[in-house]
Amino acid sequence: MHKKANEELLALVEKAISGDKNALEKLIAGVQNLVFNLSLRMLGTFADAEDATQDILLKMITHLSSFRGDSAFTTWVFRIAANHLKNYKKHMFAHYPLSFEYYGNDIENGKAQDVPDLTQNVEKEILAEELKMSCTNVMLQCLDTESRCIFILGIMFKIDSRIAGDILGITPEAYRQRLSRIRKKMADFLSEYCGEYGGGRCKCRDRVNYAIQSHRLNPQQLDYTAAAEIPVQTMIDVKNAMEDIDGLSQDFSFCKTYQTPEHMKLLIQEFLDSTQLSIVQKS
């Protein structure tokens, strides 16, 4: 990070620690989308990601005094978030774990063609796109938590191996080796089964009704369709603020990034405006 920018950020942190609410709001605004997207990929659903994001931002607030500027602020926040999410047990898939074997068997043997029309007058193309975003996100749940975090940091956020290793507490070499293996595992599964990103026979449009019947898709609650995407350049700028990429990352087109939902932003603002903030800052 540029020296001047880092000095300005440290000054902002000091102000926030001293009780400057505006400074704290700026810090939160700068990282909340990153935290939300990491949570969404790690946990698989919007609802769980929103809950976890609030927990992580609260941790950030209570630990601000421990930030010394030895790394980029976003790296420091990612470390807090990754540690929290790897041990998070309240999300749906912690109770209903997935595997590639289960996912593959469902694609091969689920009788999608036998399900009647359940689209509730919602355009099938819209539902198919929602299913595609949901399916490829949920597929990450087939990885163990450590592997999932490695994949997300390397493929979605394209973080340098030195920085990612620091976040996860492993060497850059170990991170690169594991990322390569995990990426191949994901790519092999997509190639075998997925007709959207690989050579498989599974097509989202053909499985819309099956997904609705299985409660994997709700025509009246399309989280991905409703979410506002973050411009690619914004994510590149964030990545550059952390460090340059190491050349291992490749573009997985399903790894889109989204803005934090508006109702969640309102909850955060309500917290910042409440008397609870001073209690948390002093804890």
Side-chain angles (χ1 to χ4, degrees):
M1 179 178 288
H2 191 278
K3 183 178 180 181
K4 183 178 179 181
N6 194 44
E7 289 175 352
E8 291 174 350
L9 184 55
L10 283 170
L12 200 63
V13 171
E14 287 300 321
K15 288 180 181 179
I17 293 171
S18 300
D20 187 324
K21 195 181 83 168
N22 289 332
L24 182 59
E25 287 178 344
K26 289 180 181 178
L27 290 174
I28 290 175
V31 298
Q32 65 182 5
N33 285 336
L34 296 174
V35 172
F36 173 73
N37 279 279
L38 180 61
S39 299
L40 178 61
R41 302 303 172 186
M42 284 294 291
L43 305 181
T45 69
F46 271 70
D48 287 327
E50 290 172 25
D51 289 342
T53 298
Q54 291 181 66
D55 292 343
I56 292 165
L57 293 177
L58 187 59
K59 277 191 174 182
M60 185 197 86
I61 293 170
T62 56
H63 290 81
L64 265 181
S65 60
S66 68
F67 178 67
R68 294 288 181 264
D70 298 329
S71 63
F73 186 69
T74 46
T75 301
W76 180 76
V77 173
F78 261 112
R79 190 179 301 120
I80 292 174
N83 288 333
H84 183 82
L85 292 166
K86 285 193 294 182
N87 296 301
Y88 198 77
K89 303 299 182 186
K90 295 187 291 183
H91 65 297
M92 181 178 70
F93 291 107
H95 303 288
Y96 302 99
L98 290 179
S99 67
F100 285 113
E101 291 74 22
Y102 173 85
Y103 226 151
N105 181 67
D106 184 63
I107 290 171
E108 290 292 336
N109 301 311
K111 297 180 179 180
Q113 70 278 3
D114 296 338
V115 182
D117 182 16
L118 301 173
T119 57
Q120 302 176 42
N121 295 320
V122 179
E123 288 186 27
K124 201 166 189 178
E125 293 305 323
I126 294 176
L127 294 174
E129 184 65 19
E130 179 77 11
L131 180 59
K132 181 167 65 175
M133 293 299 101
S134 173
C135 179
T136 48
N137 188 35
V138 170
M139 188 178 68
L140 295 173
Q141 306 305 309
C142 295
L143 297 168
D144 63 82
T145 53
E146 182 83 4
S147 296
R148 194 183 317 146
C149 197
I150 288 172
F151 183 86
I152 294 166
L153 292 179
I155 300 303
M156 179 178 179
F157 290 103
K158 300 177 173 64
I159 294 175
D160 179 88
S161 60
R162 292 171 293 120
I163 303 303
D166 181 44
I167 290 170
L168 298 171
I170 59 178
T171 67
E173 293 77 14
Y175 169 81
R176 287 195 295 267
Q177 290 173 4
R178 292 191 63 180
L179 176 59
S180 180
R181 291 196 299 268
I182 297 162
R183 185 173 58 193
K184 185 179 185 304
K185 190 172 186 179
M186 290 287 285
D188 287 348
F189 184 85
L190 286 170
S191 178
E192 181 176 358
Y193 292 104
C194 181
E196 304 289 344
Y197 298 112
R201 64 183 182 85
C202 183
K203 296 283 189 179
C204 293
R205 195 178 192 283
D206 298 335
R207 290 175 65 86
V208 163
N209 290 310
Y210 180 74
I212 297 171
Q213 183 186 65
S214 306
H215 305 292
R216 299 176 189 174
L217 181 65
N218 181 355
Q220 302 307 314
Q221 186 177 337
L222 304 179
D223 290 325
Y224 293 91
T225 302
E229 287 186 39
I230 296 175
V232 173
Q233 186 58 47
T234 300
M235 296 306 297
I236 292 174
D237 291 342
V238 169
K239 180 268 299 176
N240 287 341
M242 298 176 77
E243 285 292 345
D244 290 332
I245 62 174
D246 59 10
L248 279 176
S249 299
Q250 66 185 50
D251 180 23
F252 273 57
S253 58
F254 60 82
C255 286
K256 295 180 180 180
T257 51
Y258 303 97
Q259 293 183 22
T260 308
E262 285 299 320
H263 63 270
M264 185 186 157
K265 292 180 182 178
L266 291 174
L267 286 174
I268 294 171
Q269 190 59 53
E270 287 176 5
F271 170 74
L272 291 173
D273 293 336
S274 71
T275 55
Q276 293 177 305
L277 176 60
S278 60
I279 296 173
V280 169
Q281 288 178 313
K282 293 175 183 177
S283 64

